[in-house]
Every structure is written in C-alpha cells, then in structure tokens.
Amino acid sequence: MSKRYFYKFDELPGNAVELFKQGNLSQCIEICEQAIEEETAVAAAFYLIGGCSVRAGEIELAGKFFSLALNARPEIPNPYFALSILNNYHGDRNLSLSLHKKGLLRADPVLLKKTNVLYDEANFLVSQQEYEEAVELIEEALEMTPFLAPLLRRLGDCYHDLKQFERAEEVYRECLLQNPVFIEPYRNLAVCVDKIHHDPYRAIPILEEALRIWDKYTEARYYLGELFRRLDKPAEAYEHYRFITENDPDYTEAYRRRADSIRDIGGIEEAIEYYNIYKEKNPSRESSVKMDIAFSIPPILDSKEEAEEYHDKLENTLKEYQNDTFSIVDPARDIRGVNFYSAYLGKNERDIQKMTANIFRKSSPLLRYKSKHLDKPRKEGKIRLGIFSCSLKRHSVGRLLYRTILQLPRDVFDITIIFGDQTNDEIVQILKGQFNWINVHKSISEGHMQEAQEDVNALELDILYYPDIGMDVQSYFMAYSRFAPVQIVSWHHPLTTGIDTIDYTISSKKFEVEEAQNHFTEKLILFESTIQNFERIRNYKCQKTRQDFGFSDDDNLYGCPQSSFKIHPDFDDIFKGILEKDPKALILLLEAHKGPWDEALKKRFAKTMPDVMDRIRFLDRTTITGVHDYMNIFDVSLDPPHWSGGVTSLEAFSQGCPVITLPSPYTRARLTYGFYLEMGIEDCIASTPEEYIDIAVKVASDRKIRKDISERILEKCDVLYDNPECAIELAEFFQLAFEAHQKGEKIESFK
C-alpha cells in the first residue's frame, strides 16, 4: 500500500507511527514532544499526541491537541474531521457539522466528486459480496482524495469479509492513525486481532479504547461482552449487556446475553425475566429460550431444599414439554448452554437427560443427520476411528486421556482427532503432530453446524469416540448425528447423555455399583482399568511453605481444591462437623473464577454454620502455579459428596496427600473411591457423613496416622499413572464393538 499520510508522519523522529499503531502511547508521545521542541513536523506531532490522548481516554485533552494541529496546518482536513466527530459525540451537532464542512472544503472538488462515485460503486459491490472488485475501486479512490478514514475503513471491511484478517488489521490501524476518533473501525479491528491470535486479551483493549471515545458504541460493547464470556467472566460480560439493554433497547440479542450472564453467576430470577423479554422480542426463538429457562439452575445452591426443588422443577418441566412442538434451527447456535448444573444436584440424571434429548431430537432436522457412507459398502482398510472433544487440551479430559490416545495401535486404527475448540496448547500440538485432524469449532460457533457435520461425514468413520459429552454445545449437539455405526462415550464427563445415537458408555468396574446400568441410557461397558493415563508429578517441591500462605504449623489444614459449584449443601454438614470436632481445623477452598459464587457460598455458610464459618478460608488461585502447590500444604484433601475429584485426586495422590471420600451410587461421586481400590487402600473411604468427619479429623490431627497413609499412597500410587493398560483395553473394545456391528450385534459385556 502506498503512503497516504497528509501529515508528514514519516518526518517524525524514531518510529512514532508504529508505536502509535501498536498502542505504545507514552513512547509515541515522547517522540512527538521531541519533534515539537525541534520544530520538525509539528502539526503531525500535535495530531498524533491528540490520537494518543483519545486512545488513553483523555478526550478533552485530545481536542486541544487536534486544535493545535489544525492551527499549525489549517489546509489539512484530518483535524477538522476528528474535532467534528468529538463534538458530535458530545452533543454539539451544529459545531460538528460546521467542522465537517470545513474539512470538505480542504479537498479538491473534482477529485472529491470522482471519489464519491468510486465509493458508491464500491459500496454497491460490497452489497453484492464482490469484495475483491470493491477493493480495486477503493484503492483507486484512495489515490485521489484525503478522505482516508472512511475509505480505509471500507477497505478494511472488505479484507475482513474476505477473511484476510492480517491485511484487514493493517488497514484498520492505518485508518485509526488518520482519524483516531473515527469509531467504526474499532470493532472489526478487535475481531481481526481475535481471529489472528485467538486471544481475547489482545482484542479487549481495542474495544475499551472505543468505549472511552463513545460509551454508546453498541457493537463494540456487545463484542466486548462476548469476549468476556469466552474468558468465563460472566460478571464482566453482564455489565456490558446490561448497559446495552438500558441504552439501546432495540439491540435485542443483548437481552438474551444479559440473561445468559446473570444466570451464570446465579441471578436466576433476573435471567428468566430477560429470557422472557427476549422471547417477546424474538418469537421465532421461543423454543430455544424455553429450554434456556428450563436449564436455569443456580451454580451455587442455597440449601438442600433448593436442590430438591430445582431437580423436581426441571423434571416436571421436561415432562410437560415431551408432547410440545419445538422448532430450533441450529441448536449449537441457538441454545446458550447445555443442561450442565442439574448433574450437580446429586440425583439420578438418566430420565432428565433422556427427556432433554427427546425434545432436542424432534426440534431440529440437524439433529437427525446421518452420514451418507453408512448406507454404502464399507471401504477396505484399517478401522477408521474418530475422536471428538472440545476438551482434548490442557483440561482435565485432555490431561487424563491424551497419552492413552497416543498409545492406540496405528496398525489397527486410522485415527482422526476432531477438535471442537480453537485452543492450540501443547497437548493440542502433540495430537496434531501425531494424527490426522480437523477442527469444527469455526463452523459450529458461526452457526453453520451442517458444515461441521459434512466435514465429519467426509471421514467415513467406523467408530466415533467422544471422551466427554455434556460440557459444551459443540460435542453435545454433534452427538445427535449418526456419523459412525459405533458411537461411544466414556466417563470423563461422568454422566449419561440420554442421546440414542450414543451406543456405549465406558466406565470402570472400580467406579460403578452393581445396578449402575440403571443410571445410563447407553449400554454400560466396564473396564478393569480406570481409563486414564495421567502423567504423575514426581518429586514436586513447592517453594512456598504454609507460612507463606498465612498458616502456622499448628493449624490442621483441610483442603478442598474444587470448583465452587461442586460444593453441594450436603457438604456443609461435613464442614461444620469437622470444624466443631477439631478446634485447630481450617477448611481451605479455592476462590471461584466467578466472584459472585464465593459470596453466595459465604452467605450459605453464614446460615448453616455461623459459629465456625470464620475458619473457612478462600485461597487466591493467582498465587500458585497449580493445585499441586496447595496439595503440598494440606494435611488432608476433602472430596465433595455427589461429585468426586478426578485430576485433583490424582494430583493429591502423586504427592501422598490423603483424600477423604464418601462415594454415592453414581459414577461422578466414585472416582476417588475407584482410585483407592486400584491402590488397595481403604483407610480414607467413608460410608456415612459422620464417618467422613471422623476419618478426616483423625487423619488431619494425628501426624503418625497421616504419615502412614501418605507413605502407603506414595508406595502404591504408581498403578494410577503411566499405565498402558487403558490403551490396550480401549483398543480391544473398539475392535470388538466394530466386529459385533459387522455381525449385526452389540456387545453386552466386556471381559
């Protein structure tokens, strides 16, 4: 791109322009002040300082520097347009119009007329999605006229729509150099930065700059809310959606997002109110909103009674919906979250999941998709195995399973990893380096689920394995499709799916009770192994002592390093019992990623154990490199009733930290129990809440008992780690399941 600066920015000392574009404002200002002192490109320096002031939110100061730039070189149009926009934002329309007209007078009228013709033609081409032709016309116009900001904005939009995000970013940044107050490019510039780097933290400051210029820039504010939601910061997102609903009531999507965000932090009544407002404004979305309302369960429950009420309410609502007609165009786009929190109510979820799946199945043709190759003769060759997850990354699922996947025999299976997430961490890179892979995140997230289905269809799979279903909309709704004759899920989200296109669920004999099949809609297959190959943390020594965290050697530290939504009200009785029985006890919880959750827990504790709640402490996650830092100081770790630790228990055992557990009948509360069976250690397994309290206090307060258990855990825990048996069993089952399918049969049991 040729230079189109009307100021002689290139005459400024140093690299002021690049510093400005990259946001290094203080250094840019220093260079400009030096130029003013040396009387070099003074007008350009004033203008650039004005631009830095805008980006820093100092709007009044920016106006002063734009005025200085105008006085230094009154023939240049840029400061007129910048001041025009500033005055428009602040309500002085007459002055804004006057300044705009003065800026126009600085242009050659003949060239201006030619530019307008080219600009209009380019806009027409854009409306026809002929972006490349539009680019040519805009480039031609830019050679003739000083109206750089509007033209550059349109040029950036064309490159954005062509998915040439690096080029678009370059153009948008040049646009904002020419007129930093020109608000429209900021939103799409943030989009480009996000698309290029897949890092919301790099896009957020751009949008915040825009809102400092004009706080009612709805498109920027909405996208900022979306970025905070992706970062799992619903409280921050909520504030932006709330602002939009109060200041731009016609922007209807904000009502639903306001409801989504406040629901995530526990404001169920407000969430339902705004879901209903959204439903009134968008009658075509009634079906999806009804399901969002049905799934509105607070992450932090107020009481045992509330847990019962929400479970019964959801079950009754789903029963009522069974004969209703639902119409959802693209469920992965239109449903804002899967039925996640009901699993933490401590009940058998089989009927709820089955009824949910029945409603969704009937609601959309997309959920009745069947791969074309299933009606044709199978191609010869190795068993084509697909592995689909949004969590095969540095997430509990990825950490538990990626090494098992690497050990599957390549002479038997032709393996393709199907990623549903755009993360590209070290686990993702290892898997990409070893296997064929596709990523369906973009298609699904942009509302093109059918494109994702066709991408998976093209693999012509024999087996599709979902390590987890139920933590995200991508894998949940894709699981309704029949992509392979054999489709399998495993315990890594330990809950039945309710989906009739999932044939088997794999768990371990060590995890399940005798009547466990009653908890699953899929055929339950039990392995000898615990179906994980977690990498043991060996010889880890935290550099911090308990004193560094504010505790003394005399304190008995009971840690529970779990997500706050796993702290069921039933756990309160155990906490209270421990604190009353052991006067030296401190119970240590981790601060929630979502701040309001901690306040909700504290409010509940104030009701259930007011006399001892001061000895429950919330630990700052940011002071540690991982949960294992805290395991180093815990005397015991407390496993939550109703939802047992998986990775956290494995990390505890790797350091010899005893974990007290109380298994329930359901898989999700039996993982730690199963790990103990694998090791042959039963000292810390309780059968009642009272026994849980007794064991916890005995182990935490008696150093000799604790040392004995810890040494036995360290001696025997190797069986939990670096174990190839999981891959051997998994490969054997995959082969047997496929062979059974070829005979028109299903496996009833394994080994």
Side-chain angles (χ1 to χ4, degrees), residues 335-354:
I335 298 295
R336 298 309 176 95
V338 294
N339 177 20
F340 183 75
Y341 288 117
S342 72
Y344 296 88
L345 298 176
K347 302 292 185 180
N348 187 347
E349 285 290 291
R350 184 181 187 275
D351 291 344
I352 281 178
Q353 296 297 332
K354 187 174 182 179

Side-chain angles (χ1 to χ4, degrees), residues 490-505:
S490 56
W491 68 261
H492 300 87
H493 182 58
L495 191 71
T496 188
T497 67
I499 302 171
D500 57 13
T501 40
I502 302 300
D503 306 301
Y504 302 99
T505 188

Side-chain angles (χ1 to χ4, degrees), residues 143-300:
E143 297 297 333
M144 295 190 294
T145 178
F147 292 100
L148 292 171
L151 288 174
L152 283 165
R153 179 266 177 120
R154 177 59 72 197
L155 182 61
D157 291 347
C158 288
Y159 284 124
H160 170 274
D161 292 338
L162 287 166
K163 313 298 183 187
Q164 297 180 27
F165 298 117
E166 289 87 353
R167 189 77 175 92
E169 179 189 1
E170 176 189 347
V171 174
Y172 286 134
R173 291 196 184 279
E174 188 172 347
C175 176
L176 294 176
L177 172 69
Q178 298 302 327
N179 191 343
V181 193
F182 190 44
I183 200 77
E184 283 83 356
Y186 279 94
R187 190 265 182 190
N188 274 3
L189 172 58
V191 171
C192 292
V193 169
D194 185 28
K195 296 285 187 183
I196 294 166
H197 301 287
H198 305 296
D199 182 1
Y201 285 111
R202 299 183 70 155
I204 285 171
I206 297 168
L207 299 168
E208 291 175 336
E209 283 182 17
L211 295 177
R212 285 196 290 268
I213 299 169
W214 189 43
D215 64 354
K216 293 182 176 63
Y217 183 10
T218 296
E219 289 78 8
R221 192 174 288 280
Y222 185 83
Y223 191 54
L224 190 54
E226 297 294 277
L227 293 176
F228 279 123
R229 277 187 60 80
R230 273 175 45 198
L231 291 168
D232 203 19
K233 294 179 178 290
E236 290 87 339
Y238 169 79
E239 290 303 323
H240 292 290
Y241 300 131
R242 180 192 58 77
F243 185 97
I244 296 170
T245 59
E246 293 174 359
N247 292 277
D248 191 356
D250 292 331
Y251 202 86
T252 57
E253 284 303 311
Y255 290 89
R256 190 170 191 180
R257 279 309 201 201
R258 176 174 179 169
D260 293 339
S261 299
I262 196 66
R263 181 179 73 171
D264 285 350
I265 55 180
I268 302 303
E269 290 184 7
E270 183 179 340
I272 292 173
E273 175 188 353
Y274 278 87
Y275 280 134
N276 282 321
I277 294 173
Y278 178 81
K279 187 170 61 173
E280 291 172 7
K281 290 176 175 287
N282 292 272
S284 64
R285 298 290 181 89
E286 180 179 4
S287 294
S288 59
V289 175
K290 284 173 69 175
M291 295 304 288
D292 284 333
I293 292 173
F295 296 152
S296 292
I297 296 172
I300 306 300

Side-chain angles (χ1 to χ4, degrees), residues 305-322:
E305 293 74 22
E306 187 177 62
E308 295 280 351
E309 288 169 8
Y310 272 104
H311 183 273
D312 293 347
K313 180 182 176 182
L314 175 58
E315 191 169 49
N316 291 333
T317 299
L318 293 174
K319 286 178 181 177
E320 291 174 12
Y321 286 173
Q322 290 305 296

Side-chain angles (χ1 to χ4, degrees), residues 586-636:
L586 294 176
I587 290 177
L588 310 180
L589 307 179
L590 295 186
E591 285 184 347
H593 291 299
K594 302 172 185 177
W597 289 3
D598 289 341
E599 295 309 310
L601 272 179
K602 291 173 184 177
K603 183 179 177 182
R604 192 179 84 201
F605 293 157
K607 291 191 298 184
T608 58
M609 55 186 104
D611 296 336
V612 291
M613 71 163 290
D614 62 311
R615 287 191 282 137
I616 299 178
R617 309 290 172 79
F618 289 79
L619 302 176
D620 184 355
R621 291 174 182 266
T622 64
T623 62
I624 58 172
T625 57
V627 171
H628 42 268
D629 277 357
Y630 283 140
M631 295 296 185
N632 195 57
I633 67 166
F634 293 163
D635 292 309
V636 296

Side-chain angles (χ1 to χ4, degrees), residues 631 634-637 649 652-659 676 710 713-714:
M631 295 296 185
F634 293 163
D635 292 309
V636 296
S637 182
S649 292
F653 294 145
S654 73
Q655 295 184 64
C657 179
V659 182
Y676 271 130
S710 179
I713 289 172
L714 289 172

